[in-house]
Amino acid sequence: GERDTFPARELLEEIAAVWQPRAAQREIQLTGSGTPDRNPIITSHRDLLVQVLDNLVDNALRYCPKGSSLDMHLDGLNAPQVRIALTDNGPGIAQRERQWVTRRFYRGDADSSTPTQSTVGSGLGLAIAHDIMTRLGGSLGIDENPSGAGTCVTLTLTRDTRNPDHSHA
């Protein structure tokens, strides 16, 4: 299908604006980081990237307790790929679970610090996000927050998904 050409940082700003009221309601600080000059242009399916980011932000806001933070960081101004990292300081995803959480209907082990599985969802959000990133020729990686508490989900995407070897300089 047709692809759009758009600035990546502005996409993240739009996502943050949409989710800000829910984050405030849950008392979670939602921020975007990166230097103002980092605004790589992407040629891809914008609506699919919105769906991926919405799934990731929704998951973070569901699982993080009040007082947590969620940061969306953009990198890749002069690189052939763009990286978007969503980092929270919530309960995290156990390393043994990371290989499974992108599979449909898998929701992992609930613990006392997170909502019960019956209130969390169907286990499709990360699976859908992973599938979309794969279809776009990108990837979705899950690690722990570099600070040691929480999760870091990294999206890596070629700047022009029409031709993975093409980059806008």
Side-chain angles (χ1 to χ4, degrees):
E2 290 296 314
R3 289 166 176 84
D4 304 302
T5 299
F6 55 93
R9 188 182 71 222
E10 289 164 18
L11 174 65
L12 290 185
E13 290 169 355
E14 289 174 27
I15 297 294
V18 166
W19 287 95
Q20 194 62 48
R22 182 159 170 222
Q25 180 183 37
R26 297 257 312 124
E27 298 177 27
I28 296 173
Q29 183 180 9
L30 176 60
T31 60
S33 68
T35 57
D37 64 335
R38 293 192 184 266
N39 196 12
I41 302 299
I42 298 175
T43 300
S44 189
H45 293 280
R46 187 179 192 284
D47 55 337
L48 292 177
L49 288 175
V50 167
Q51 187 175 355
V52 168
L53 291 166
D54 280 345
N55 278 333
L56 296 176
V57 173
D58 181 53
N59 271 354
L61 296 180
R62 284 177 188 250
Y63 283 98
C64 289
K66 289 183 178 185
S68 298
S69 64
L70 171 61
D71 180 60
M72 296 186 293
H73 180 81
L74 175 65
D75 196 15
L77 180 62
N78 293 314
Q81 294 183 319
V82 172
R83 288 175 29 114
I84 300 170
L86 286 85
T87 307
D88 67 54
N89 61 352
I93 299 172
Q95 186 166 356
R96 69 183 183 280
E97 301 282 328
R98 292 180 198 154
Q99 67 178 330
W100 301 104
V101 295
T102 58
R103 295 189 183 194
R104 293 181 185 275
F105 305 111
Y106 186 84
R107 294 188 299 168
D109 294 328
D111 67 32
S112 61
S113 68
T114 61
T116 63
Q117 286 197 20
S118 63
T119 63
V120 172
S122 63
L124 288 173
L126 286 174
I128 290 169
H130 180 267
D131 288 351
I132 289 171
M133 291 304 296
T134 300
R135 283 180 53 204
L136 294 175
S139 65
L140 182 151
I142 301 172
D143 291 300
E144 71 180 38
N145 181 332
S147 72
T151 304
C152 179
V153 177
T154 304
L155 306 176
T156 304
L157 183 67
T158 302
R159 291 179 60 177
D160 188 339
T161 61
R162 293 175 300 188
N163 179 357
D165 295 326
H166 177 76
S167 79
H168 299 274

